[in-house]
Amino acid sequence: MPIGHIKNKEEAKERITQLRVLINRYRYAYHVLDREEISEDALDTLKKELFDLEARYPDLITSDSPTQRVGGEPLEAFQKVTHETPMLSLNDAFSKEDMHEWIRRISNFTKVDVSRNSDFYCELKIDGLAIELLYENGIFVRGSTRGDGVIGEDVTYNLKTIDALPLSLLSQEEVEKNIKSLGIQGLKPLSHYWPLKKLMVRGEVFLTRNEFNRINEEQHKAGKKEYANPRNVAAGSVRQLDPRITASRKLDFFAYDIVGDVGQHTHEEDHLFLKAIGFKVNEHNKRAKTLDEVFEFHTYWGSHRERLQYEIDGVVVIINKNELYDKAGVIGKAPRAAIAYKFSPKEAITIVEDIVVQVGRTGTLTPVAILRPVGVGGVIISHATLHNIDEIERLGLKIGDTIIVTRAGDVIPKITKVLLELRTGKEKIFQFPTHCPQDGSPVLRNGVAYRCSNKGCGARFRESLYHFVSRHAFDIRGLGAKIIDRFIDEGLIKDAADIFTLKEGDIEALQRFGKKSAENIIKEIKNKKTITLPRFIYSLGIVHVGEETAHLLARALNDLNKDQIITPRDLGEIGSRIKEDELYAIQDIGPVVAKSIIDYFNDMHHTILLKKLHEGGVRIKQEALSRSGRLRGKRFVFTGTLKTLSREAAKEKIRAYGGDVSELVSSKTDYVVAGEEAGSKLEKAKELNVKIVSEEEFLALIE
Ligand code: IVH
């Protein structure tokens, strides 16, 4: 979880203490009591938050902090093995920002600008168990688990059951041939040292999905408990006291590191050399020249991981040049120059910043949690529906709580748990409003359901949003009524301004929305943030203010205020000051319309909405709303279809030259433009003796 909510060291200290207690409790439950109280994904987010806080305040790190821990304690039953070089662990990254931060850390420490001279090696992070293998004179003599990083367990017998693990290394001849065919250059001549007296190789033991399923089927048939995941089975099998059980489970192995110097210069060469001497290395691992290539690799495998025969939980990114890698050294118990760039968790931890109430079509009120944005299952989410008051009570949720959020059925965000241990005492109880947030009518309760006493309320609100995004208003393509309904129902939008702060992940999280269409909608919304004043006024849906009146009003307001209406908030301020007689001065605006405009701008809800639109980035396009020009004061009415241009374009031309357009023919009309199949307006024009022009004549007028 981002640590933005922590404002100072005091708060950090309190949060760090709470996080440590909680992480330790979950670990204990999992390892000692065999109870998984929280998913690994969620636990990872807690650990990451602790890590980030400790990185910000390093003097708060204590040696017993969970961040300082590597692996598990060795079991009593196995012989102890001391690793000559400690087996380190990796720090985690969950986002691009984390990765940039990682680069900064290395650059600061080594004084080498890594972002410029970058060269990375990307590996699939296999979800298994790390082991170390010792070869003496080319023969496998001992294998051990990581243990606490310094002391592990001798599991040689069990490891010998793994086919992928060579019991002896290839001969000098074979290795030489492989080195050549793999194109590895710059190694020390093999004849000087082969077979190596001593070689240490590290890698990951894992179980394929097929094998995992087969084992679980057997467990099931035997009426035994099924295993939770392949990694647990792999770990359990390696640490079996009876090697026959290990042998019955077909474990697999990928090598990823070599401890020793054979003249290799890069981590890529480590891998090639491992392959040359007979180890199985992962074929998908790949060098990346830039961080963007790293991101590409990460994104690709994030969405293709299910196709692999084994589970991966991220990408290990390593500084490729060994010299720089070594120079970067170790931080805590992890190398500074390597990082585990995890895939987005299916569960994450974040804070409920607020609980708001959303109004359904029939006026039902639904509470929705506003979350501090967090990545879950590959998308950023910021809302989770709470369904009803019962759900809030069941969860024991307060505003300000730290919670676990998942994407139910991998789609809709759902709060599954409140982490009571992380309460600070500042959390607030949520009170259901007594009045509808939409129209202020009293709220009625019926069992767990609340509804606005005005039955039309929800529907009216929806209509106003459909209008807001419609063709002649904000013209947000792709955001039709159905989609607006979905957004409202999911609690993503409570007013028009919320449209502008939607996140891609919010949209994608809704069923049937793909990544691409989510991206498109967000892009379209962003493109439409700047709008002309007439359109903007029209979009507000002020009673009696249609398109034409919006134009007249916009022009009048602009004249009165000399280009000062740049944002929605400016309009709000100017609108609230406008006087009735100023409005009367505008042609066509009579007492009823004037009152409606004045009422609109003096309603506090609208002031807030305009301010929110301003904050959401909506801006008003500065364009000349011409009062001069050759058509000044002339009024046009259209009837029938134009051949050479759309009616909308024709209207814009008229306005650009200072003229006006109205819908109805009256004695005040100067021209009726008659297109094909002109209707009753033409009759009316004849009746009132209004000048009638053809399309051609009209074009001549405006050209
Ligand atoms: S490189 C300093 N490469 O992830 C450790 N590790 O917490 C360098 N892992 O302990 C490890 N796949 O158990 C590396 N391709 C890979 C890996 C990998 C899985 C595990 C390993 C390590 C842990 C990091």
Side-chain angles (χ1 to χ4, degrees), residues 96-110 112 114-115:
K96 290 186 176 178
E97 289 88 81
D98 287 349
M99 291 300 285
H100 284 292
E101 184 49 39
W102 172 62
I103 300 284
R104 272 194 290 278
R105 286 202 297 270
I106 307 173
S107 300
N108 285 344
F109 187 82
T110 59
V112 174
V114 178
S115 57

Side-chain angles (χ1 to χ4, degrees), residues 346-611:
K346 296 202 174 78
E347 264 192 25
I349 287 175
T350 191
I351 289 177
V352 172
E353 295 191 320
D354 200 1
I355 297 176
V356 297
V357 168
Q358 157 250 317
V359 185
R361 183 176 279 283
T362 55
T364 331
L365 305 188
T366 308
V368 176
I370 305 295
L371 308 175
R372 182 172 290 261
V374 68
V376 185
V379 295
I380 308 284
I381 58 163
S382 61
H383 295 72
T385 177
L386 292 162
H387 306 291
N388 52 41
I389 195 77
D390 251 19
E391 175 81 353
I392 297 179
E393 281 163 12
R394 190 185 64 76
L395 287 164
L397 179 66
K398 292 185 183 179
I399 298 168
D401 268 337
T402 302
I403 50 95
I404 298 182
V405 59
T406 67
R407 286 174 65 196
D410 262 5
V411 190
I412 310 282
K414 181 178 167 62
I415 295 177
T416 54
K417 191 179 172 116
V418 175
L419 300 179
L420 297 173
E421 294 86 345
L422 294 181
R423 280 211 171 138
T424 60
K426 293 193 197 122
E427 294 75 14
K428 286 197 278 267
I429 293 179
F430 167 71
Q431 299 283 5
F432 223 97
T434 52
H435 289 81
C436 171
Q438 216 54 254
D439 70 357
S441 311
V443 167
L444 307 172
R445 180 169 185 168
N446 180 8
V448 291
Y450 285 82
R451 67 172 62 243
C452 173
S453 51
N454 168 12
K455 285 215 173 99
C457 161
R460 262 218 311 268
F461 165 60
R462 280 164 207 254
E463 296 294 340
S464 72
L465 285 188
Y466 308 156
H467 171 79
F468 186 82
V469 300
S470 65
R471 275 290 286 286
H472 296 175
F474 266 81
D475 188 26
I476 301 179
R477 305 286 167 99
L479 209 56
K482 267 196 189 146
I483 297 177
I484 296 260
D485 278 345
R486 292 279 302 282
F487 289 171
I488 297 172
D489 293 339
E490 299 294 341
L492 294 179
I493 47 183
K494 303 179 309 306
D495 59 35
D498 286 337
I499 292 173
F500 297 98
T501 50
L502 282 169
K503 301 269 176 306
E504 226 167 272
D506 292 330
I507 302 181
E508 202 194 325
L510 302 181
Q511 265 160 339
R512 294 196 300 276
F513 270 99
K515 195 172 178 60
K516 196 76 216 152
S517 55
E519 261 173 36
N520 287 343
I521 291 185
I522 292 292
K523 204 156 105 205
E524 168 73 2
I525 292 173
K526 210 169 137 212
N527 286 340
K528 297 288 167 75
K529 273 191 180 172
T530 301
I531 185 170
T532 64
L533 186 57
R535 272 180 182 270
F536 184 66
I537 293 175
Y538 175 65
S539 76
L540 297 175
I542 304 170
V543 182
H544 303 307
V545 178
E547 247 188 301
E548 294 315 322
T549 312
H551 271 277
L552 296 171
L553 181 58
R555 188 182 292 169
L557 289 178
N558 245 4
D559 284 351
L560 288 171
N561 298 283
K562 302 253 173 321
D563 299 335
Q564 279 178 24
I565 308 176
I566 299 162
T567 77
R569 199 172 55 191
D570 300 338
L571 177 67
E573 280 167 12
I574 284 164
S576 68
R577 285 199 307 263
I578 199 157
K579 302 277 172 329
E580 239 166 281
D581 50 352
E582 287 172 315
L583 291 171
Y584 290 159
I586 305 172
Q587 68 172 8
D588 271 1
I589 293 188
V592 178
V593 183
K595 183 171 183 310
S596 167
I597 295 171
I598 287 183
D599 284 352
Y600 182 91
F601 286 109
N602 284 292
D603 181 330
M604 193 191 64
H605 293 98
H606 300 143
T607 313
I608 295 172
L609 175 70
L610 290 165
K611 188 161 162 277

Side-chain angles (χ1 to χ4, degrees), residues 208-225:
T208 60
R209 295 181 203 269
N210 281 346
E211 185 61 7
F212 172 71
N213 293 336
R214 187 192 65 76
I215 293 167
N216 259 352
E217 261 166 43
E218 269 183 14
Q219 291 288 111
H220 181 74
K221 270 188 219 145
K224 291 188 191 155
K225 197 174 152 203

